[in-house]
Amino acid sequence: MATVSLGSPAGKWIMVSAILASAMAFIDGTALNVVLPALQQSLDAKGADLFWILNAYLLMLASLILIGGSLGDKLGRKKVFMIGIFIFITGSALCGLSPGVFYLIVFRIIQGIGGALMIPGSLSLISSSIDAKERGKAIGTWSAITTVVTVGGPVLGGALADAGLWRYIFFINIPIGIVALLILWRKVAESKDDNTDQTIDFPGAISIASGLALLTFGFLRMPAVGFNSWQVYGSLALGLLLLIVFIWIEGTSKHPMMPLNLFSNKTFSGINLLTFFLYAGLGGGMLFMSLNMVQVQGYSQLQSGLTFLPFTVLMISIARYAGAIADKKGPRLLLIIGPALAGAGLLILSFIKQTAGPSDYWTSFFPGVLVFGFGMSLTVAPLTATVMGSVSDHFSGTASGINNAMTRIANVFANAIFGALAVLFFSGAMQGELKKLSLKEKDKKTVMEQSANLGNAKVPAGIDGSNKKAVEIAYHNGFISAYGNIMRICAGLGFLGALMSAVFIRNSAVKKE
């Protein structure tokens, strides 16, 4: 298969199209976290609805991204990439036009299908088309730019949400996607493995999609009906069984979407474990930090988005150098230090209590964001390069799909599990807060019924005067308590990711270009 130089016109067009498509998908995810409070108010959505809006997309992405990567290898990376972009921008347009929560969830599913074909295609096209000697630099550039653009998503989301234009988070994908399609159509050559078997692993796709859907449903139902409900334990048990069936299918299939022999490489296994733990912590941390700032600390949504600017500056300054160091010295040390620092940043953020709002940012959120951003800046480019360097070029799309699937599955579980845990933590904290108030039992019960809405909980009608203010303070204190617990769990996941690097990743297992 012919390759091109990174500096050639063809190489530049490949990079531009890959970055545009990836940025489109990643901005959508990060910006949506910031606009959730505005979306919740506009569509009258409950707390559980928010997690479904997030997870409908992530669930389809996690379920199908493996097959998206392997389809590119088999049928043509450019072709599948373009189909994915088209489906994604169609879903985005429908999301922007959604009249209510139900329709938004359905259209987010369409977005997820497009993303599953689009996201692995961008990295696979780079890995298979760029000359081997420049591949590490290309992947590092892709990682740095897409991460910077991704972290710019909260700023864009905050500005649009404050202007009452949260729907444009979805509409903005359309012109970006059209430009990417035109570049791919006119400037980029097709890339595929002609010797690859073109059979599609439908049993594997169905089992993992169903398994993840059931697990997510079980966790999201837990706050509403409790763990003892058959809906919860039945869904969790059946979902876990289907994931075991998926592993069995992949181990016995002649045409697996996730070849298990790739995991015989300990570095490939370790880098995917690192990805799972680190991005679960990242997803949960960014979501609850945004909710805390807007719903409790008094930040506007634009101010909330701007708080991530230090992260962006660090990514611009450090990420490419980290990729170059990993190329020369090996990625292992950076992939231990980076996730550990990210975990330390999340831990610092977990100790924030009630503040005076944006005026306290520099002494409250800023130190944690700085440490967290520095850790992620050391991690992103070496992580991506290690994924692609630990397998043969023949499996570039599949490897990209697996690693992207780990990221999305981590986010699905983070949103579902942390959403359930947050409601439990919030309810427990509220019970303690209510003991301090002189409310009737009937009023205490109505106050507790708002727990599912977390930081958006409203004082029930009928409670006024000094009691109303006291209940508002109790809601804030309860959410801050739940936020602290969630952030400490996220920090632990970052530390666990660093441990995976120390145990599994070996520099000798990563191809030197």
Side-chain angles (χ1 to χ4, degrees):
M1 183 167 30
T3 57
V4 298
S5 167
L6 181 58
S8 68
K12 290 177 180 177
W13 286 121
I14 289 170
M15 290 297 296
V16 170
S17 63
I19 288 168
L20 282 174
S22 300
M24 178 172 60
F26 297 154
I27 283 177
D28 185 272
T30 56
L32 190 60
N33 282 343
V34 176
V35 305
L36 282 177
L39 187 153
Q40 186 172 19
Q41 186 173 12
S42 175
L43 298 182
D44 193 26
K46 298 186 182 300
D49 295 333
L50 296 184
F51 293 109
W52 272 115
I53 290 167
L54 290 171
N55 283 337
Y57 171 76
L58 292 171
L59 186 60
M60 294 309 296
L61 199 58
S63 305
L64 300 178
I65 204 166
L66 291 172
I67 211 164
S70 61
L71 277 176
D73 290 341
K74 295 175 179 181
L75 305 181
R77 297 180 179 95
K78 172 184 166 180
K79 180 192 300 181
V80 173
F81 191 21
M82 291 181 69
I83 291 170
I85 293 172
F86 178 77
I87 295 173
F88 185 85
I89 60 176
T90 300
S92 296
L94 292 171
C95 285
L97 297 171
S98 298
V101 171
F102 172 78
Y103 290 99
L104 181 55
I105 292 171
V106 171
F107 297 146
R108 288 282 285 167
I109 290 173
I110 295 174
Q111 262 195 315
I113 295 170
L117 300 176
M118 177 178 72
I119 292 173
S122 62
L123 189 55
S124 177
L125 199 61
I126 292 173
S127 185
S128 62
S129 301
I130 300 297
D131 185 82
K133 294 179 180 179
E134 298 179 293
R135 202 166 294 156
K137 182 180 178 182
I139 291 172
T141 302
W142 176 89
S143 299
I145 294 176
T146 53
T147 304
V148 167
V149 174
T150 298
V151 178
V155 180
L156 176 65
L160 291 173
D162 283 346
L165 301 172
W166 63 264
R167 293 177 183 274
Y168 282 82
I169 290 298
F170 300 109
F171 290 141
I172 200 171
N173 292 331
I174 299 170
I176 297 173
I178 290 172
V179 170
L181 284 173
L182 288 173
I183 290 172
L184 286 163
W185 175 45
R186 299 292 299 273
K187 302 292 185 179
V188 176
E190 183 58 277
S191 165
K192 69 176 180 178
D193 292 327
D194 295 326
N195 296 326
T196 301
D197 190 299
Q198 298 192 3
T199 305
I200 299 172
D201 181 16
F202 286 113
I206 293 169
S207 59
I208 193 171
S210 303
L212 289 172
L214 285 165
L215 285 172
T216 304
F217 177 79
F219 283 118
L220 288 178
R221 287 296 292 162
M222 193 182 296
V225 299
F227 182 76
N228 291 326
S229 167
W230 67 269
Q231 295 179 29
V232 173
Y233 61 73
S235 297
L236 295 179
L238 186 55
L240 185 60
L241 177 62
L242 283 171
L243 291 188
I244 294 171
V245 169
F246 168 72
I247 298 297
W248 177 80
I249 289 172
E250 299 309 285
T252 57
S253 173
K254 294 180 180 179
H255 318 284
M257 61 191 286
M258 188 179 77
L260 298 184
N261 64 308
L262 292 180
F263 292 92
S264 62
N265 181 326
K266 289 184 179 180
T267 292
F268 184 76
S269 297
I271 200 68
N272 281 290
L273 286 171
L274 162 62
T275 300
F276 180 85
F277 292 126
L278 180 62
Y279 279 88
L282 171 66
M286 288 186 70
L287 172 60
F288 281 90
M289 185 176 156
S290 296
L291 291 175
N292 184 13
M293 285 179 165
V294 175
Q295 296 182 335
V296 175
Q297 304 293 350
Y299 287 67
S300 71
Q301 285 162 114
L302 175 57
Q303 289 169 332
S304 170
L306 288 171
T307 60
F308 290 99
L309 277 180
F311 193 124
T312 307
V313 171
L314 285 167
M315 287 301 306
I316 293 171
S317 306
I318 296 170
R320 287 196 71 182
Y321 293 106
I325 292 170
D327 280 345
K328 293 178 181 177
K329 304 291 186 181
R332 184 171 183 267
L333 185 60
L334 288 174
L335 293 176
I336 295 172
I337 295 173
L341 284 173
L346 291 168
L347 186 61
I348 293 169
L349 290 166
S350 75
F351 294 109
I352 295 170
K353 303 300 182 183
Q354 184 70 56
T355 73
S359 62
D360 280 352
Y361 169 73
W362 300 105
T363 56
S364 57
F365 287 96
F366 177 69
V369 170
L370 199 64
V371 176
F372 175 61
F374 184 56
M376 290 301 297
S377 299
L378 295 178
T379 304
V380 173
L383 187 156
T384 307
T386 301
V387 170
M388 306 308 291
S390 59
V391 301
S392 68
D393 294 343
H394 177 71
F395 288 110
S396 62
T398 302
S400 173
I402 289 172
N403 191 251
N404 274 288
M406 288 297 174
T407 303
R408 312 309 152 191
I409 291 169
N411 280 319
V412 169
F413 283 173
N415 288 332
I417 296 173
F418 290 159
L421 286 176
V423 172
L424 294 176
F425 290 146
F426 184 70
S427 299
M430 281 301 301
Q431 289 174 357
E433 292 288 329
L434 289 178
K435 289 178 182 178
K436 306 172 187 176
L437 305 181
S438 55
L439 292 175
K440 298 176 182 178
E441 287 302 316
K442 179 182 70 173
D443 290 335
K444 288 183 178 180
K445 184 177 180 181
T446 58
V447 167
M448 287 299 297
E449 287 173 354
Q450 285 283 317
S451 295
N453 292 324
L454 298 172
N456 199 47
K458 298 288 190 291
V459 179
I463 298 177
D464 49 25
S466 61
N467 281 335
K468 181 176 181 180
K469 184 63 177 177
V471 171
E472 287 178 350
I473 293 172
Y475 280 145
H476 280 194
N477 290 341
F479 183 84
I480 288 171
S481 175
Y483 159 84
N485 289 332
I486 293 295
M487 294 298 281
R488 281 186 278 278
I489 295 172
C490 292
L493 291 170
F495 296 137
L496 193 55
L499 179 62
M500 294 301 101
S501 295
V503 172
F504 292 105
I505 293 177
R506 295 292 177 267
N507 291 331
S508 58
V510 182
K511 296 196 298 286
K512 300 292 184 183
E513 308 296 359

